[in-house]
Amino acid sequence: MQRLVSVLRQDGVDKDLIHLVNVLGAACKEINFRLHQGALAGVLGSTQDENVQGEVQKKLDVISNTLLKDLLLDSGLVRALASEEEDDIVPGPESGQFLVSFDPLDGSSNIDINAMVGTIFSIYKAEAGEVSQQSFLRPGREQVAAGYVVYGPATLMVLTTGQGVKMYTLDQTIGEYLLTVPHVKINSDTQEFAINMSNQRHWAKPMQDYIDDLLQGAEGPRGKNFNMRWVAAMVADVHRILCRGGIFTYPWDRRAPEKAGKLRLMYEANPMALLIEQAGGKASTGTERILDIQPEQIHQRVAVVLGAANEVDTVEQYYRHQR
Ligand code: AHG
Ligand code: MN
Ligand code: MN
């Protein structure tokens, strides 16, 4: 099996970008190790603090953030980084050629129940000159690479550099990510959906109608039965879709009407949208393509509908009929 670095070289990826992916991979190996230590290392549970978004930080959110931040800044490759767990951007050396945004630990409510979590990252080429929040506010279609590491029964890195999507499994005996799925492809049709059904009463009408129709199964307007899954970690739900198809959505809801959604554009929706599109799927807000959104803030939220192309189109039709 081929090592991550040799696959990237073979694909003709820029050597600094290869180096950067390698640094991210190294930080994630360390996060993986800490996760596996669990209670033995005293890393479970919450801190006393909240992040800038008013969410309680888990100890592992903070540990993962620090590991990534330290290794990325130390690499000399990163002009600045943005993280779910940092209020503002963190500048790096002027020599840095890349801007990196990340969710250090996605699905962190799963940590204390020993369920799947992951690290999500998004990479842009930095422009010359001063760096500020403004430097990060570019549409997702400009990402030069995006991916995640999912920590489950096996640990995998799933990556795109704009030439499709590949999966690498971490061989813990040699500490290398080895290519295990060379061409990830999502079927255009599906009979599996992922949504937090407990929020049903808060959704907008088009989402209510769409899910109602799925739930009616073979007897309803869709004429087929649908299965449901929800891991409560976007990274794991998206991973399932890249493995066996499906549609995932976290829509706008009335609990926080001023927010476009729960998930964050820069380090959750955009990198996942690039992966999904590169695997032949679609990623939308319900009304527009996620990768075309012009960001206004680094922590901005967005409604997300992604996965099987025909199913995402169907959701967009429900939204169009509403207007
Ligand atoms: P994070 O742990 O980084 O804050 O993200 C959690 C997100 C996402 O991963 C997941 O899909 C969603 O929150 C789960 O939300 P519910 O708890 O509402 O199901
Ligand atoms: Mn997250
Ligand atoms: Mn997180």
Side-chain angles (χ1 to χ4, degrees):
M1 267 177 274
Q2 266 186 296
R3 291 182 313 133
L4 170 66
V5 169
S6 65
V7 175
L8 293 173
R9 271 197 214 115
Q10 199 174 297
D11 284 350
V13 175
D14 166 74
K15 71 173 189 345
D16 291 318
L17 182 54
I18 297 180
H19 187 179
L20 177 57
V21 169
N22 214 25
V23 170
L24 283 162
C28 291
K29 276 192 259 179
E30 179 92 28
I31 296 170
N32 179 62
F33 176 76
R34 305 289 181 101
L35 282 165
H36 280 252
Q37 292 285 97
L40 300 177
V43 294
L44 304 186
S46 300
T47 65
Q48 306 294 338
D49 298 322
E50 286 186 352
N51 65 17
V52 67
Q53 302 163 64
E55 298 162 337
V56 173
Q57 288 178 307
K58 296 279 183 186
K59 287 182 194 164
L60 273 162
D61 285 324
V62 177
I63 293 168
S64 307
N65 184 56
T66 306
L67 279 168
L68 282 157
K69 188 170 70 171
D70 289 353
L71 282 190
L72 287 171
L73 293 179
D74 194 50
S75 73
L77 294 162
V78 178
R79 183 70 191 88
L81 56 85
S83 162
E84 181 189 350
E85 309 301 343
E86 299 283 340
D87 301 4
D88 205 345
I89 64 157
V90 183
E94 276 178 27
S95 60
Q97 297 176 42
F98 298 100
L99 300 175
V100 184
S101 308
F102 54 87
D103 178 350
L105 213 52
D106 176 65
S108 53
S109 71
N110 278 354
I111 293 169
D112 295 338
I113 59 160
N114 199 30
M116 280 167 88
V117 290
T119 298
I120 309 173
F121 53 88
S122 155
I123 304 174
Y124 289 80
K125 200 88 179 138
E127 277 160 8
E130 287 295 296
V131 72
S132 66
Q133 285 210 10
Q134 191 62 35
S135 320
F136 281 80
L137 305 182
R138 289 154 55 184
R141 59 173 185 268
E142 293 181 20
Q143 294 170 100
V144 292
Y148 60 81
V149 173
V150 62
Y151 313 101
T155 293
L156 280 86
M157 181 186 285
V158 179
L159 180 71
T160 181
T161 54
Q163 309 169 70
V165 179
K166 295 184 171 71
M167 293 187 181
Y168 304 85
T169 304
L170 178 61
D171 183 337
Q172 311 217 23
T173 59
I174 55 169
E176 294 278 358
Y177 295 91
L178 302 178
L179 180 65
T180 42
V181 187
H183 304 288
V184 178
K185 180 89 184 77
I186 304 172
N187 279 342
S188 298
D189 292 304
T190 184
Q191 289 178 241
E192 192 163 78
F193 70 98
I195 193 167
N196 184 339
M197 282 298 297
S198 68
N199 299 326
Q200 184 174 28
R201 69 192 184 282
H202 305 298
W203 303 330
K205 180 86 169 45
M207 190 51 73
Q208 301 262 9
D209 292 347
Y210 170 68
I211 297 291
D212 276 351
D213 288 352
L214 297 191
L215 294 178
Q216 288 180 54
E219 294 78 37
R222 299 302 305 277
K224 57 183 184 179
N225 294 323
F226 282 80
N227 183 38
M228 196 198 88
R229 287 287 183 274
W230 186 252
V231 189
M234 182 197 203
V235 72
D237 284 306
V238 169
H239 187 65
R240 184 186 60 257
I241 289 173
L242 289 170
C243 292
R244 70 173 194 205
I247 183 166
F248 166 92
T249 174
Y250 210 116
W252 171 88
D253 76 47
R254 250 172 231 107
R255 290 170 303 168
E258 72 291 356
K259 292 179 187 154
K262 174 177 183 180
L263 299 174
R264 276 60 53 107
L265 177 62
M266 305 295 294
Y267 40 80
E268 290 177 322
N270 268 339
M272 293 313 203
L274 189 65
L275 287 165
I276 292 286
E277 286 200 4
Q278 285 287 319
K282 286 193 174 179
S284 165
T285 62
T287 55
E288 65 178 319
R289 182 185 179 220
I290 285 175
L291 293 179
D292 285 338
I293 297 173
Q294 173 59 52
E296 287 166 4
Q297 289 173 36
I298 54 170
H299 296 297
Q300 117 182 32
R301 296 175 190 252
V302 65
V304 173
V305 182
L306 58 76
N310 292 342
E311 206 56 37
V312 175
D313 286 345
T314 303
V315 174
E316 287 188 334
Q317 279 165 26
Y318 280 77
Y319 278 88
R320 266 198 298 277
H321 287 304
Q322 180 66 17
R323 280 178 287 150

